[in-house]
């Protein structure tokens, strides 16, 4: 979790350190980590992230996680 969180959240003087594509990939990967911390970070990204590809990746990860949970039931 912490590696993905750092990739997504780390900022430098002029904004995020990692390219948008890397941050979006980390958000998608974070969807496979089913912890409250990962869920909170994905939810925050889906609501507050300014870069659309990262926001969409977080939403997709949350949707996939929810659909996987629904199919198990």
């Amino acid at each position: 979790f912490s590696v993905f969180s750092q990739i997504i959240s780390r900022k430098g003087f002029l904004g995020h350190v990692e390219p948008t594509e890397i941050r979006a990939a980390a958000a998608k990967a974070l969807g496979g980590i089913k912890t409250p911390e990962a869920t909170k970070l994905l939810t925050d990204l889906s609501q507050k992230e300014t870069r659309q590809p990262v926001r969409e990746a977080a939403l997709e990860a949350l949707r996939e996680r929810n659909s996987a949970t629904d199919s198990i039931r």
Side-chain angles (χ1 to χ4, degrees):
F1 168 78
S2 65
V3 171
F4 295 124
S5 177
Q6 288 175 5
I7 289 171
I8 292 168
S9 304
R10 186 175 31 206
K11 288 188 176 184
F13 183 70
L14 297 175
H16 290 284
V17 174
E18 302 297 340
T20 299
E21 295 81 9
I22 299 295
R23 294 179 63 238
K28 286 181 185 178
L30 198 57
I33 301 174
K34 294 173 177 48
T35 64
E37 296 86 3
T39 301
K40 180 177 181 347
L41 181 54
L42 286 170
T43 301
D44 288 348
L45 284 171
S46 71
Q47 296 171 354
K48 300 174 186 174
E49 174 61 40
T50 58
R51 296 192 179 162
Q52 185 175 355
V54 179
R55 190 173 58 248
E56 288 176 355
L59 283 168
E60 180 182 335
L62 288 169
R63 277 193 299 267
E64 287 178 5
R65 178 187 285 185
N66 290 337
S67 69
T69 303
D70 291 342
S71 67
I72 293 171
R73 294 178 190 176

Short mmCIF file of all heavy atoms in Angstrom, two decimals:
data_model
loop_
_atom_site.label_atom_id
_atom_site.label_comp_id
_atom_site.label_asym_id
_atom_site.label_seq_id
_atom_site.Cartn_x
_atom_site.Cartn_y
_atom_site.Cartn_z
N PHE A 1 0.82 -1.21 0.00
CA PHE A 1 0.00 0.00 0.00
C PHE A 1 0.86 1.26 0.00
O PHE A 1 0.59 2.18 -0.75
CB PHE A 1 -0.95 -0.02 1.20
CG PHE A 1 -1.64 1.29 1.44
CD1 PHE A 1 -2.72 1.67 0.66
CD2 PHE A 1 -1.20 2.15 2.41
CE1 PHE A 1 -3.35 2.88 0.86
CE2 PHE A 1 -1.83 3.35 2.63
CZ PHE A 1 -2.90 3.72 1.86
N SER A 2 1.88 1.29 0.83
CA SER A 2 2.64 2.54 0.99
C SER A 2 3.36 2.95 -0.28
O SER A 2 3.48 4.15 -0.56
CB SER A 2 3.62 2.43 2.16
OG SER A 2 4.61 1.46 1.89
N VAL A 3 3.82 2.00 -1.07
CA VAL A 3 4.51 2.34 -2.32
C VAL A 3 3.54 3.03 -3.28
O VAL A 3 3.85 4.07 -3.85
CB VAL A 3 5.13 1.09 -2.98
CG1 VAL A 3 5.66 1.41 -4.36
CG2 VAL A 3 6.22 0.52 -2.10
N PHE A 4 2.35 2.44 -3.45
CA PHE A 4 1.36 3.05 -4.33
C PHE A 4 0.92 4.42 -3.81
O PHE A 4 0.75 5.36 -4.57
CB PHE A 4 0.14 2.14 -4.51
CG PHE A 4 0.46 0.85 -5.21
CD1 PHE A 4 0.18 -0.36 -4.62
CD2 PHE A 4 1.06 0.85 -6.46
CE1 PHE A 4 0.47 -1.55 -5.26
CE2 PHE A 4 1.35 -0.33 -7.11
CZ PHE A 4 1.06 -1.53 -6.51
N SER A 5 0.74 4.50 -2.52
CA SER A 5 0.33 5.77 -1.91
C SER A 5 1.38 6.85 -2.16
O SER A 5 1.04 8.00 -2.48
CB SER A 5 0.14 5.57 -0.40
OG SER A 5 -0.18 6.78 0.22
N GLN A 6 2.64 6.50 -2.04
CA GLN A 6 3.72 7.47 -2.29
C GLN A 6 3.73 7.90 -3.75
O GLN A 6 3.91 9.08 -4.05
CB GLN A 6 5.07 6.88 -1.91
CG GLN A 6 5.26 6.75 -0.42
CD GLN A 6 6.56 6.06 -0.07
OE1 GLN A 6 7.37 5.75 -0.95
NE2 GLN A 6 6.77 5.81 1.20
N ILE A 7 3.57 6.96 -4.66
CA ILE A 7 3.57 7.28 -6.09
C ILE A 7 2.43 8.25 -6.41
O ILE A 7 2.60 9.22 -7.14
CB ILE A 7 3.45 6.00 -6.94
CG1 ILE A 7 4.74 5.21 -6.86
CG2 ILE A 7 3.12 6.34 -8.40
CD1 ILE A 7 4.67 3.83 -7.48
N ILE A 8 1.27 7.98 -5.84
CA ILE A 8 0.10 8.79 -6.12
C ILE A 8 0.20 10.17 -5.47
O ILE A 8 -0.17 11.18 -6.07
CB ILE A 8 -1.18 8.06 -5.66
CG1 ILE A 8 -1.42 6.83 -6.53
CG2 ILE A 8 -2.38 8.99 -5.68
CD1 ILE A 8 -2.46 5.89 -6.00
N SER A 9 0.70 10.23 -4.25
CA SER A 9 0.60 11.44 -3.44
C SER A 9 1.82 12.34 -3.42
O SER A 9 1.71 13.52 -3.10
CB SER A 9 0.27 11.05 -2.00
OG SER A 9 -0.90 10.27 -1.96
N ARG A 10 2.98 11.82 -3.73
CA ARG A 10 4.22 12.59 -3.58
C ARG A 10 4.21 13.83 -4.47
O ARG A 10 3.91 13.77 -5.66
CB ARG A 10 5.41 11.70 -3.92
CG ARG A 10 6.74 12.33 -3.68
CD ARG A 10 7.88 11.38 -3.91
NE ARG A 10 7.59 10.40 -4.95
CZ ARG A 10 8.16 9.21 -5.00
NH1 ARG A 10 9.04 8.85 -4.12
NH2 ARG A 10 7.84 8.38 -5.97
N LYS A 11 4.54 14.96 -3.86
CA LYS A 11 4.57 16.23 -4.59
C LYS A 11 5.94 16.88 -4.46
O LYS A 11 6.60 16.76 -3.44
CB LYS A 11 3.51 17.19 -4.06
CG LYS A 11 2.10 16.82 -4.42
CD LYS A 11 1.14 17.90 -4.03
CE LYS A 11 -0.26 17.55 -4.48
NZ LYS A 11 -1.20 18.63 -4.20
N GLY A 12 6.31 17.58 -5.48
CA GLY A 12 7.51 18.39 -5.47
C GLY A 12 7.13 19.85 -5.49
O GLY A 12 5.98 20.23 -5.27
N PHE A 13 8.09 20.68 -5.77
CA PHE A 13 7.88 22.13 -5.77
C PHE A 13 6.82 22.56 -6.79
O PHE A 13 6.02 23.45 -6.53
CB PHE A 13 9.21 22.83 -6.05
CG PHE A 13 9.12 24.32 -6.01
CD1 PHE A 13 8.91 24.98 -4.81
CD2 PHE A 13 9.23 25.07 -7.16
CE1 PHE A 13 8.82 26.36 -4.76
CE2 PHE A 13 9.15 26.45 -7.13
CZ PHE A 13 8.94 27.09 -5.93
N LEU A 14 6.79 21.89 -7.94
CA LEU A 14 5.88 22.29 -9.02
C LEU A 14 4.70 21.35 -9.19
O LEU A 14 4.03 21.36 -10.22
CB LEU A 14 6.65 22.37 -10.34
CG LEU A 14 7.76 23.42 -10.38
CD1 LEU A 14 8.54 23.32 -11.69
CD2 LEU A 14 7.19 24.80 -10.21
N GLY A 15 4.41 20.53 -8.21
CA GLY A 15 3.28 19.62 -8.31
C GLY A 15 3.71 18.19 -8.10
O GLY A 15 4.74 17.93 -7.49
N HIS A 16 2.92 17.26 -8.61
CA HIS A 16 3.22 15.84 -8.44
C HIS A 16 4.52 15.47 -9.13
O HIS A 16 4.80 15.92 -10.23
CB HIS A 16 2.08 14.97 -8.95
CG HIS A 16 0.85 15.07 -8.11
ND1 HIS A 16 0.74 14.44 -6.90
CD2 HIS A 16 -0.31 15.74 -8.28
CE1 HIS A 16 -0.43 14.72 -6.36
NE2 HIS A 16 -1.09 15.51 -7.19
N VAL A 17 5.29 14.62 -8.46
CA VAL A 17 6.59 14.20 -8.98
C VAL A 17 6.43 13.20 -10.12
O VAL A 17 7.11 13.29 -11.13
CB VAL A 17 7.44 13.60 -7.83
CG1 VAL A 17 8.74 13.02 -8.36
CG2 VAL A 17 7.72 14.64 -6.76
N GLU A 18 5.53 12.26 -9.94
CA GLU A 18 5.35 11.19 -10.93
C GLU A 18 4.44 11.66 -12.06
O GLU A 18 3.50 12.43 -11.85
CB GLU A 18 4.73 9.96 -10.26
CG GLU A 18 5.52 9.40 -9.11
CD GLU A 18 6.89 8.89 -9.50
OE1 GLU A 18 7.14 8.60 -10.69
OE2 GLU A 18 7.74 8.79 -8.59
N PRO A 19 4.70 11.17 -13.28
CA PRO A 19 3.82 11.50 -14.41
C PRO A 19 2.39 11.00 -14.17
O PRO A 19 2.16 10.03 -13.45
CB PRO A 19 4.45 10.76 -15.59
CG PRO A 19 5.83 10.43 -15.17
CD PRO A 19 5.81 10.33 -13.68
N THR A 20 1.44 11.64 -14.80
CA THR A 20 0.04 11.29 -14.65
C THR A 20 -0.22 9.82 -14.96
O THR A 20 -0.97 9.15 -14.25
CB THR A 20 -0.83 12.19 -15.56
OG1 THR A 20 -0.63 13.55 -15.16
CG2 THR A 20 -2.30 11.86 -15.46
N GLU A 21 0.41 9.29 -16.00
CA GLU A 21 0.19 7.90 -16.40
C GLU A 21 0.63 6.93 -15.32
O GLU A 21 -0.02 5.90 -15.08
CB GLU A 21 0.92 7.59 -17.72
CG GLU A 21 0.40 8.37 -18.90
CD GLU A 21 0.96 9.80 -18.98
OE1 GLU A 21 1.88 10.15 -18.21
OE2 GLU A 21 0.44 10.57 -19.80
N ILE A 22 1.74 7.23 -14.66
CA ILE A 22 2.25 6.38 -13.57
C ILE A 22 1.29 6.45 -12.39
O ILE A 22 0.98 5.43 -11.76
CB ILE A 22 3.67 6.81 -13.15
CG1 ILE A 22 4.64 6.68 -14.32
CG2 ILE A 22 4.13 6.03 -11.93
CD1 ILE A 22 4.86 5.27 -14.80
N ARG A 23 0.81 7.64 -12.08
CA ARG A 23 -0.12 7.80 -10.96
C ARG A 23 -1.44 7.07 -11.24
O ARG A 23 -2.02 6.45 -10.36
CB ARG A 23 -0.36 9.28 -10.69
CG ARG A 23 0.91 9.97 -10.18
CD ARG A 23 0.72 11.45 -9.90
NE ARG A 23 -0.24 11.63 -8.85
CZ ARG A 23 -1.37 12.34 -8.99
NH1 ARG A 23 -1.66 12.95 -10.13
NH2 ARG A 23 -2.21 12.46 -7.98
N ALA A 24 -1.90 7.12 -12.49
CA ALA A 24 -3.13 6.41 -12.86
C ALA A 24 -2.94 4.89 -12.74
O ALA A 24 -3.81 4.19 -12.22
CB ALA A 24 -3.56 6.78 -14.28
N ALA A 25 -1.80 4.39 -13.17
CA ALA A 25 -1.51 2.95 -13.05
C ALA A 25 -1.44 2.53 -11.58
O ALA A 25 -1.93 1.46 -11.21
CB ALA A 25 -0.20 2.61 -13.77
N ALA A 26 -0.87 3.38 -10.74
CA ALA A 26 -0.81 3.08 -9.31
C ALA A 26 -2.21 3.06 -8.71
O ALA A 26 -2.51 2.22 -7.86
CB ALA A 26 0.07 4.10 -8.60
N ALA A 27 -3.07 3.95 -9.15
CA ALA A 27 -4.45 3.95 -8.65
C ALA A 27 -5.17 2.67 -9.04
O ALA A 27 -5.89 2.07 -8.23
CB ALA A 27 -5.21 5.17 -9.18
N LYS A 28 -4.97 2.21 -10.27
CA LYS A 28 -5.59 0.96 -10.71
C LYS A 28 -5.07 -0.21 -9.87
O LYS A 28 -5.84 -1.07 -9.44
CB LYS A 28 -5.30 0.70 -12.18
CG LYS A 28 -6.08 1.58 -13.11
CD LYS A 28 -5.75 1.26 -14.55
CE LYS A 28 -6.45 2.23 -15.49
NZ LYS A 28 -6.12 1.97 -16.88
N ALA A 29 -3.77 -0.25 -9.65
CA ALA A 29 -3.18 -1.33 -8.85
C ALA A 29 -3.68 -1.28 -7.41
O ALA A 29 -3.89 -2.32 -6.78
CB ALA A 29 -1.66 -1.23 -8.88
N LEU A 30 -3.89 -0.10 -6.91
CA LEU A 30 -4.38 0.06 -5.54
C LEU A 30 -5.76 -0.57 -5.36
O LEU A 30 -6.13 -0.97 -4.26
CB LEU A 30 -4.43 1.56 -5.20
CG LEU A 30 -4.50 1.97 -3.76
CD1 LEU A 30 -3.33 1.41 -2.97
CD2 LEU A 30 -4.50 3.49 -3.66
N GLY A 31 -6.51 -0.69 -6.44
CA GLY A 31 -7.81 -1.33 -6.37
C GLY A 31 -7.74 -2.77 -5.92
O GLY A 31 -8.70 -3.31 -5.37
N GLY A 32 -6.62 -3.42 -6.12
CA GLY A 32 -6.45 -4.81 -5.69
C GLY A 32 -6.10 -4.97 -4.23
O GLY A 32 -6.08 -6.08 -3.71
N ILE A 33 -5.82 -3.87 -3.57
CA ILE A 33 -5.48 -3.91 -2.15
C ILE A 33 -6.73 -3.53 -1.36
O ILE A 33 -7.16 -2.39 -1.37
CB ILE A 33 -4.30 -2.95 -1.83
CG1 ILE A 33 -3.09 -3.34 -2.66
CG2 ILE A 33 -4.00 -2.95 -0.35
CD1 ILE A 33 -1.93 -2.38 -2.55
N LYS A 34 -7.29 -4.51 -0.72
CA LYS A 34 -8.60 -4.31 -0.07
C LYS A 34 -8.44 -3.98 1.41
O LYS A 34 -8.79 -4.79 2.27
CB LYS A 34 -9.46 -5.53 -0.30
CG LYS A 34 -9.79 -5.68 -1.77
CD LYS A 34 -10.51 -6.96 -2.07
CE LYS A 34 -10.91 -7.09 -3.50
NZ LYS A 34 -9.93 -6.79 -4.49
N THR A 35 -7.91 -2.81 1.67
CA THR A 35 -7.78 -2.33 3.05
C THR A 35 -8.55 -1.02 3.16
O THR A 35 -8.80 -0.35 2.16
CB THR A 35 -6.30 -2.06 3.42
OG1 THR A 35 -5.80 -1.01 2.59
CG2 THR A 35 -5.45 -3.31 3.26
N PRO A 36 -8.92 -0.65 4.38
CA PRO A 36 -9.61 0.63 4.56
C PRO A 36 -8.78 1.82 4.08
O PRO A 36 -9.32 2.77 3.52
CB PRO A 36 -9.85 0.70 6.07
CG PRO A 36 -9.84 -0.71 6.53
CD PRO A 36 -8.87 -1.42 5.63
N GLU A 37 -7.47 1.74 4.26
CA GLU A 37 -6.60 2.84 3.83
C GLU A 37 -6.61 2.99 2.31
O GLU A 37 -6.66 4.10 1.78
CB GLU A 37 -5.15 2.62 4.32
CG GLU A 37 -5.00 2.63 5.81
CD GLU A 37 -5.27 1.28 6.48
OE1 GLU A 37 -5.53 0.28 5.78
OE2 GLU A 37 -5.23 1.24 7.72
N ALA A 38 -6.56 1.86 1.60
CA ALA A 38 -6.59 1.90 0.13
C ALA A 38 -7.93 2.43 -0.35
O ALA A 38 -7.99 3.24 -1.28
CB ALA A 38 -6.32 0.51 -0.43
N THR A 39 -9.00 2.00 0.28
CA THR A 39 -10.33 2.47 -0.09
C THR A 39 -10.45 3.97 0.11
O THR A 39 -10.98 4.68 -0.74
CB THR A 39 -11.41 1.74 0.73
OG1 THR A 39 -11.29 0.33 0.49
CG2 THR A 39 -12.80 2.20 0.34
N LYS A 40 -9.94 4.46 1.23
CA LYS A 40 -10.00 5.90 1.51
C LYS A 40 -9.21 6.69 0.48
O LYS A 40 -9.69 7.70 -0.04
CB LYS A 40 -9.50 6.21 2.91
CG LYS A 40 -9.56 7.70 3.23
CD LYS A 40 -9.13 8.00 4.63
CE LYS A 40 -9.19 9.45 5.01
NZ LYS A 40 -9.36 10.46 4.01
N LEU A 41 -8.01 6.23 0.14
CA LEU A 41 -7.19 6.94 -0.83
C LEU A 41 -7.88 6.94 -2.20
O LEU A 41 -7.94 7.98 -2.87
CB LEU A 41 -5.80 6.31 -0.93
CG LEU A 41 -4.83 6.97 -1.90
CD1 LEU A 41 -4.67 8.46 -1.64
CD2 LEU A 41 -3.48 6.28 -1.83
N LEU A 42 -8.43 5.81 -2.62
CA LEU A 42 -9.13 5.75 -3.91
C LEU A 42 -10.36 6.66 -3.92
O LEU A 42 -10.62 7.35 -4.90
CB LEU A 42 -9.55 4.31 -4.23
CG LEU A 42 -8.43 3.38 -4.66
CD1 LEU A 42 -8.92 1.94 -4.70
CD2 LEU A 42 -7.85 3.80 -6.00
N THR A 43 -11.08 6.66 -2.81
CA THR A 43 -12.27 7.53 -2.72
C THR A 43 -11.86 9.00 -2.78
O THR A 43 -12.48 9.79 -3.51
CB THR A 43 -13.03 7.24 -1.41
OG1 THR A 43 -13.42 5.87 -1.41
CG2 THR A 43 -14.27 8.11 -1.29
N ASP A 44 -10.82 9.35 -2.06
CA ASP A 44 -10.32 10.74 -2.10
C ASP A 44 -9.88 11.12 -3.51
O ASP A 44 -10.20 12.21 -3.99
CB ASP A 44 -9.17 10.94 -1.12
CG ASP A 44 -9.60 10.92 0.34
OD1 ASP A 44 -10.83 10.99 0.61
OD2 ASP A 44 -8.71 10.84 1.20
N LEU A 45 -9.15 10.23 -4.16
CA LEU A 45 -8.70 10.51 -5.53
C LEU A 45 -9.89 10.68 -6.46
O LEU A 45 -9.89 11.57 -7.31
CB LEU A 45 -7.82 9.37 -6.05
CG LEU A 45 -6.40 9.31 -5.54
CD1 LEU A 45 -5.75 8.01 -5.99
CD2 LEU A 45 -5.59 10.50 -6.03
N SER A 46 -10.89 9.82 -6.32
CA SER A 46 -12.03 9.88 -7.23
C SER A 46 -12.84 11.17 -7.05
O SER A 46 -13.54 11.59 -7.96
CB SER A 46 -12.93 8.66 -7.03
OG SER A 46 -13.62 8.74 -5.79
N GLN A 47 -12.73 11.79 -5.90
CA GLN A 47 -13.50 13.01 -5.63
C GLN A 47 -12.69 14.30 -5.76
O GLN A 47 -13.25 15.33 -6.09
CB GLN A 47 -14.09 12.93 -4.22
CG GLN A 47 -15.09 11.82 -4.06
CD GLN A 47 -15.51 11.61 -2.62
OE1 GLN A 47 -14.99 12.24 -1.70
NE2 GLN A 47 -16.47 10.72 -2.41
N LYS A 48 -11.38 14.25 -5.48
CA LYS A 48 -10.61 15.48 -5.36
C LYS A 48 -9.47 15.64 -6.37
O LYS A 48 -8.94 16.74 -6.50
CB LYS A 48 -10.02 15.58 -3.95
CG LYS A 48 -11.07 15.58 -2.87
CD LYS A 48 -10.44 15.54 -1.50
CE LYS A 48 -11.50 15.40 -0.42
NZ LYS A 48 -10.90 15.20 0.90
N GLU A 49 -9.08 14.57 -7.03
CA GLU A 49 -7.95 14.63 -7.96
C GLU A 49 -8.26 15.56 -9.13
O GLU A 49 -9.34 15.49 -9.72
CB GLU A 49 -7.61 13.24 -8.47
CG GLU A 49 -6.58 13.18 -9.54
CD GLU A 49 -5.22 13.72 -9.12
OE1 GLU A 49 -4.78 13.47 -7.98
OE2 GLU A 49 -4.59 14.42 -9.95
N THR A 50 -7.33 16.43 -9.46
CA THR A 50 -7.54 17.38 -10.55
C THR A 50 -7.22 16.80 -11.92
O THR A 50 -7.74 17.27 -12.92
CB THR A 50 -6.70 18.66 -10.34
OG1 THR A 50 -5.33 18.30 -10.26
CG2 THR A 50 -7.13 19.37 -9.07
N ARG A 51 -6.39 15.79 -11.98
CA ARG A 51 -6.03 15.19 -13.27
C ARG A 51 -6.99 14.06 -13.59
O ARG A 51 -7.09 13.06 -12.89
CB ARG A 51 -4.59 14.70 -13.24
CG ARG A 51 -3.65 15.88 -13.07
CD ARG A 51 -2.25 15.54 -13.31
NE ARG A 51 -1.43 16.75 -13.15
CZ ARG A 51 -0.15 16.73 -12.95
NH1 ARG A 51 0.50 15.58 -12.90
NH2 ARG A 51 0.52 17.85 -12.83
N GLN A 52 -7.71 14.24 -14.69
CA GLN A 52 -8.78 13.33 -15.07
C GLN A 52 -8.35 11.87 -15.19
O GLN A 52 -9.06 10.99 -14.70
CB GLN A 52 -9.44 13.80 -16.36
CG GLN A 52 -10.63 12.97 -16.75
CD GLN A 52 -11.34 13.52 -17.97
OE1 GLN A 52 -11.00 14.58 -18.48
NE2 GLN A 52 -12.33 12.80 -18.44
N PRO A 53 -7.21 11.54 -15.82
CA PRO A 53 -6.86 10.12 -15.93
C PRO A 53 -6.67 9.44 -14.57
O PRO A 53 -7.05 8.28 -14.40
CB PRO A 53 -5.54 10.14 -16.71
CG PRO A 53 -5.57 11.42 -17.47
CD PRO A 53 -6.29 12.39 -16.58
N VAL A 54 -6.13 10.16 -13.60
CA VAL A 54 -5.94 9.58 -12.27
C VAL A 54 -7.29 9.43 -11.58
O VAL A 54 -7.58 8.39 -10.97
CB VAL A 54 -4.99 10.46 -11.42
CG1 VAL A 54 -4.80 9.88 -10.02
CG2 VAL A 54 -3.64 10.62 -12.11
N ARG A 55 -8.14 10.43 -11.70
CA ARG A 55 -9.47 10.38 -11.10
C ARG A 55 -10.27 9.22 -11.70
O ARG A 55 -10.92 8.45 -10.98
CB ARG A 55 -10.19 11.71 -11.32
CG ARG A 55 -11.47 11.87 -10.55
CD ARG A 55 -12.06 13.27 -10.67
NE ARG A 55 -12.34 13.64 -12.04
CZ ARG A 55 -11.70 14.59 -12.73
NH1 ARG A 55 -10.75 15.30 -12.16
NH2 ARG A 55 -12.02 14.85 -13.98
N GLU A 56 -10.22 9.06 -13.02
CA GLU A 56 -10.95 7.97 -13.68
C GLU A 56 -10.40 6.60 -13.29
O GLU A 56 -11.16 5.65 -13.13
CB GLU A 56 -10.92 8.16 -15.19
CG GLU A 56 -11.79 9.31 -15.65
CD GLU A 56 -11.69 9.57 -17.14
OE1 GLU A 56 -10.86 8.91 -17.83
OE2 GLU A 56 -12.44 10.43 -17.63
N ALA A 57 -9.09 6.49 -13.14
CA ALA A 57 -8.48 5.22 -12.73
C ALA A 57 -8.94 4.85 -11.32
O ALA A 57 -9.22 3.68 -11.04
CB ALA A 57 -6.96 5.31 -12.79
N ALA A 58 -9.03 5.83 -10.44
CA ALA A 58 -9.51 5.57 -9.08
C ALA A 58 -10.97 5.13 -9.09
O ALA A 58 -11.34 4.17 -8.41
CB ALA A 58 -9.33 6.82 -8.21
N LEU A 59 -11.79 5.79 -9.90
CA LEU A 59 -13.20 5.41 -10.01
C LEU A 59 -13.34 3.99 -10.57
O LEU A 59 -14.14 3.19 -10.09
CB LEU A 59 -13.95 6.39 -10.91
CG LEU A 59 -14.29 7.72 -10.29
CD1 LEU A 59 -14.76 8.71 -11.36
CD2 LEU A 59 -15.36 7.54 -9.23
N GLU A 60 -12.55 3.68 -11.59
CA GLU A 60 -12.58 2.35 -12.18
C GLU A 60 -12.17 1.28 -11.17
O GLU A 60 -12.79 0.22 -11.07
CB GLU A 60 -11.65 2.29 -13.40
CG GLU A 60 -11.62 0.96 -14.09
CD GLU A 60 -10.65 0.93 -15.25
OE1 GLU A 60 -10.36 1.99 -15.82
OE2 GLU A 60 -10.19 -0.18 -15.58
N ALA A 61 -11.14 1.57 -10.39
CA ALA A 61 -10.68 0.62 -9.37
C ALA A 61 -11.77 0.39 -8.33
O ALA A 61 -12.00 -0.76 -7.91
CB ALA A 61 -9.41 1.14 -8.71
N LEU A 62 -12.44 1.44 -7.92
CA LEU A 62 -13.54 1.28 -6.95
C LEU A 62 -14.69 0.50 -7.55
O LEU A 62 -15.27 -0.37 -6.88
CB LEU A 62 -14.02 2.66 -6.48
CG LEU A 62 -13.07 3.41 -5.54
CD1 LEU A 62 -13.53 4.85 -5.37
CD2 LEU A 62 -12.98 2.70 -4.20
N ARG A 63 -15.04 0.77 -8.81
CA ARG A 63 -16.13 0.05 -9.47
C ARG A 63 -15.81 -1.44 -9.60
O ARG A 63 -16.64 -2.30 -9.34
CB ARG A 63 -16.43 0.63 -10.85
CG ARG A 63 -17.33 1.83 -10.83
CD ARG A 63 -17.84 2.16 -12.22
NE ARG A 63 -16.78 2.49 -13.16
CZ ARG A 63 -16.33 3.71 -13.40
NH1 ARG A 63 -16.87 4.74 -12.78
NH2 ARG A 63 -15.37 3.91 -14.26
N GLU A 64 -14.57 -1.74 -10.02
CA GLU A 64 -14.17 -3.14 -10.18
C GLU A 64 -14.19 -3.86 -8.84
O GLU A 64 -14.60 -5.02 -8.75
CB GLU A 64 -12.79 -3.23 -10.81
CG GLU A 64 -12.79 -2.89 -12.28
CD GLU A 64 -11.41 -2.92 -12.90
OE1 GLU A 64 -10.43 -3.31 -12.22
OE2 GLU A 64 -11.30 -2.56 -14.09
N ARG A 65 -13.74 -3.18 -7.81
CA ARG A 65 -13.74 -3.77 -6.47
C ARG A 65 -15.18 -4.06 -6.04
O ARG A 65 -15.46 -5.13 -5.52
CB ARG A 65 -13.08 -2.81 -5.49
CG ARG A 65 -13.08 -3.32 -4.08
CD ARG A 65 -12.58 -2.26 -3.15
NE ARG A 65 -11.14 -2.14 -3.29
CZ ARG A 65 -10.42 -1.36 -2.52
NH1 ARG A 65 -11.00 -0.62 -1.61
NH2 ARG A 65 -9.12 -1.30 -2.66
N ASN A 66 -16.08 -3.13 -6.29
CA ASN A 66 -17.48 -3.32 -5.90
C ASN A 66 -18.14 -4.42 -6.72
O ASN A 66 -18.92 -5.20 -6.19
CB ASN A 66 -18.26 -2.01 -6.04
CG ASN A 66 -17.86 -1.00 -4.99
OD1 ASN A 66 -17.34 -1.36 -3.93
ND2 ASN A 66 -18.08 0.27 -5.27
N SER A 67 -17.83 -4.50 -8.01
CA SER A 67 -18.45 -5.54 -8.83
C SER A 67 -17.92 -6.92 -8.45
O SER A 67 -18.65 -7.91 -8.49
CB SER A 67 -18.24 -5.27 -10.32
OG SER A 67 -16.90 -5.43 -10.68
N ALA A 68 -16.66 -7.01 -8.06
CA ALA A 68 -16.10 -8.28 -7.61
C ALA A 68 -16.77 -8.72 -6.31
O ALA A 68 -17.08 -9.90 -6.13
CB ALA A 68 -14.59 -8.16 -7.41
N THR A 69 -17.03 -7.77 -5.43
CA THR A 69 -17.71 -8.08 -4.17
C THR A 69 -19.13 -8.54 -4.44
O THR A 69 -19.63 -9.48 -3.83
CB THR A 69 -17.71 -6.84 -3.25
OG1 THR A 69 -16.36 -6.43 -3.03
CG2 THR A 69 -18.37 -7.15 -1.92
N ASP A 70 -19.81 -7.86 -5.38
CA ASP A 70 -21.19 -8.21 -5.71
C ASP A 70 -21.29 -9.60 -6.33
O ASP A 70 -22.23 -10.35 -6.07
CB ASP A 70 -21.80 -7.19 -6.67
CG ASP A 70 -22.03 -5.85 -6.00
OD1 ASP A 70 -22.03 -5.79 -4.74
OD2 ASP A 70 -22.21 -4.86 -6.73
N SER A 71 -20.31 -9.99 -7.14
CA SER A 71 -20.36 -11.30 -7.80
C SER A 71 -20.11 -12.44 -6.82
O SER A 71 -20.51 -13.57 -7.08
CB SER A 71 -19.37 -11.35 -8.96
OG SER A 71 -18.05 -11.30 -8.49
N ILE A 72 -19.43 -12.15 -5.72
CA ILE A 72 -19.18 -13.18 -4.72
C ILE A 72 -20.45 -13.48 -3.93
O ILE A 72 -20.70 -14.60 -3.52
CB ILE A 72 -18.05 -12.74 -3.76
CG1 ILE A 72 -16.74 -12.68 -4.52
CG2 ILE A 72 -17.93 -13.67 -2.57
CD1 ILE A 72 -15.59 -12.07 -3.76
N ARG A 73 -21.29 -12.50 -3.77
CA ARG A 73 -22.51 -12.66 -2.97
C ARG A 73 -23.54 -13.47 -3.65
O ARG A 73 -23.89 -13.87 -4.50
CB ARG A 73 -23.12 -11.29 -2.62
CG ARG A 73 -22.22 -10.53 -1.72
CD ARG A 73 -22.80 -9.19 -1.43
NE ARG A 73 -21.79 -8.39 -0.74
CZ ARG A 73 -21.96 -7.15 -0.41
NH1 ARG A 73 -23.06 -6.52 -0.67
NH2 ARG A 73 -21.02 -6.50 0.23
#
